[in-house]
Amino acid sequence: MENRIKISAPGKLMLFGEHAVVYKYPCLVMAVDKRMKVEIVKRKGKEIFISAPQLGLMEYRKKVEDLGKYEIPKTVRFIEVIVKNIFKQYDLTEGLEIKTSCDFSANFGFGSSAAVTVSVAYGILILFSIKVSKRELFDICYRSVLEVQGVGSGFDIAAAVYGGLLYFVGGGKIIEGLDVKKLPLVVGYTGVKADTPTIVRQVAEMKRKEPKKVEEIFIGIKNIVEKAKVAINKREYKELGKLMNRNHKLLKELGVSSVELDNLIEAAYRNGAYGAKLSGAGGGDCMIALRQAQDKYRIEEAIEKAGGEVIDVGLCSEGVRLEK
Ligand code: PMV
């Protein structure tokens, strides 16, 4: 049996349907070709050692029996909770050393927490020869993420587990892969780190105060997601761009855009994009624009002039996997 294992899982970008998906509506999410990498080694004793040098975490250690107890530093929360849940579910008690590294900055909003949760879960299961389906992996990871952050639809976990471009209904009611190999996107980072749970709670508060208005926005978003699914399947990018603009307008009505996001979106649109929108919770992180091949550089330049950072990402077909 192996004593050492390397796993990787992709980050994600939300294409359509953010926020509504938290309320069991559908979204479209794309796994990106930037990955979270995790190395797990069995070790003697009944302690877990975790290091995530990119997050400034050097050798955090915890006894197996204490997992999930006492104060857990923010940087290690997702890892400790998934280890605790996997150990509990499969009756494991062995010591482990877990080390993470990542192709992308945790600031981009590419779903590093979901990708690390999925990688660690999958790695431990393989290390102890426990076979589970993708669905079971999704379920245990989703429960763990909810335990840590209290809110979330699970779309980021699905992207990390399954890869590709997914039609996902909140909570994982439907997880369906679309047959697409690439999408002509430009991605711009605002330079502002958004706090997803805070923005999700802000929308929940608005929904409490103005239920009818918010429900109408969610239904509008749902209709856009359904049309976008068809447009992607037919490669109708002009139509897809229009749908992006409409989705962004509804997100603005939810109050989740920001000056930085709107500036980058406007810059992309003025420079030939078919359409553009924020991607994810809003308040910062990234925007995406859909483009014709010949407009790529013009749009990228415009995004940079408007204060954004262009991030080169492609669609990734592979979900969590074992690395050599
Ligand atoms: O901020 P991100 O990129 O993790 O996206 C959040 C998307 C939401 O729909 C707002 C929340 C969720 O869990 O679906």
Side-chain angles (χ1 to χ4, degrees):
M1 206 200 283
E2 289 275 356
N3 282 325
R4 175 184 297 269
I5 207 163
K6 280 187 187 161
I7 301 292
S8 79
K12 56 79 194 154
L13 261 180
M14 178 69 98
L15 297 179
F16 289 91
E18 43 274 270
H19 288 291
V21 68
V22 176
Y23 297 87
K24 308 284 182 268
Y25 289 111
C27 75
L28 290 166
V29 55
M30 155 182 147
V32 297
D33 56 358
K34 304 265 183 288
R35 303 182 77 88
M36 169 65 70
K37 293 165 187 159
V38 173
E39 187 172 357
I40 310 179
V41 186
K42 284 187 187 170
R43 64 183 277 172
K44 286 207 181 83
K46 297 205 182 308
E47 268 188 298
I48 306 295
F49 290 76
I50 302 171
S51 55
Q54 275 170 331
L55 299 177
L57 183 81
M58 287 328 281
E59 263 226 335
Y60 173 81
R61 57 198 283 184
K62 195 99 173 238
K63 286 190 188 132
V64 170
E65 64 194 48
D66 291 337
L67 287 172
K69 294 181 193 159
Y70 316 118
E71 182 67 23
I72 310 174
K74 215 174 164 196
T75 43
V76 87
R77 234 168 257 171
F78 288 94
I79 303 178
E80 181 166 332
V81 170
I82 188 67
V83 176
K84 174 194 73 133
N85 289 341
I86 295 268
F87 271 40
K88 197 166 163 210
Q89 181 153 341
Y90 296 99
D91 219 4
L92 302 171
T93 54
E94 286 82 346
L96 291 178
E97 197 176 311
I98 299 170
K99 195 172 172 183
T100 73
S101 68
C102 196
D103 287 350
F104 56 88
S105 157
N107 291 341
F108 292 165
F110 279 3
S112 52
S113 310
V116 83
T117 301
V118 170
S119 304
V120 169
Y122 191 64
I124 297 174
L125 293 170
I126 293 194
L127 209 48
F128 292 98
S129 307
I130 300 164
K131 288 210 164 54
V132 298
S133 65
K134 283 188 174 170
R135 181 70 220 196
E136 286 167 316
L137 182 62
F138 170 84
D139 286 338
I140 191 164
C141 291
Y142 183 38
R143 262 187 282 126
S144 288
V145 166
L146 281 184
E147 190 179 326
V148 177
Q149 67 183 26
V151 289
S153 66
F155 80 107
D156 43 3
I157 312 257
V161 170
Y162 294 83
L165 203 159
L166 302 173
Y167 173 84
F168 175 89
V169 176
K173 222 168 141 205
I174 301 174
I175 306 176
E176 187 188 309
L178 271 61
D179 185 19
V180 186
K181 297 281 170 283
K182 52 184 179 194
L183 257 194
L185 286 181
V186 174
V187 180
Y189 175 55
T190 54
V192 180
K193 172 85 194 104
D195 183 46
T196 300
T198 304
I199 302 171
V200 169
R201 290 195 179 99
Q202 182 189 308
V203 172
E205 184 55 21
M206 183 175 172
K207 191 168 184 296
R208 203 182 55 76
K209 286 190 186 142
E210 300 172 274
K212 198 163 167 277
K213 178 178 169 190
V214 173
E215 199 54 40
E216 271 168 20
I217 295 175
F218 286 166
I219 289 170
I221 292 177
K222 170 195 178 285
N223 292 336
I224 289 172
V225 171
E226 301 297 350
K227 287 187 181 141
K229 185 182 174 195
V230 175
I232 289 176
N233 279 331
K234 291 188 178 166
R235 315 290 189 263
E236 285 174 352
Y237 297 136
K238 240 186 191 164
E239 168 67 8
L240 202 58
K242 279 190 202 150
L243 293 167
M244 274 187 172
N245 293 337
R246 279 169 52 195
N247 195 161
H248 186 67
K249 194 163 166 271
L250 291 175
L251 289 165
K252 280 182 83 154
E253 284 174 32
L254 273 185
V256 298
S257 195
S258 68
V259 176
E260 291 84 358
L261 281 164
D262 288 342
N263 284 344
L264 303 192
I265 288 165
E266 186 66 28
Y269 194 60
R270 277 183 196 282
N271 284 277
Y274 286 140
K277 65 182 278 296
L278 68 83
S279 168
D285 287 352
C286 290
M287 51 71 71
I288 51 176
L290 200 70
R291 54 160 180 88
Q292 274 182 301
Q294 69 263 30
D295 292 328
K296 180 175 191 288
Y297 296 109
R298 189 150 71 101
I299 296 171
E300 287 183 352
E301 221 175 74
I303 287 176
E304 282 182 349
K305 264 199 195 137
E309 180 188 337
V310 172
I311 306 168
D312 189 25
V313 288
L315 169 60
C316 151
S317 56
E318 255 194 294
V320 66
R321 70 178 180 220
L322 192 59
E323 296 285 336
K324 290 281 163 269

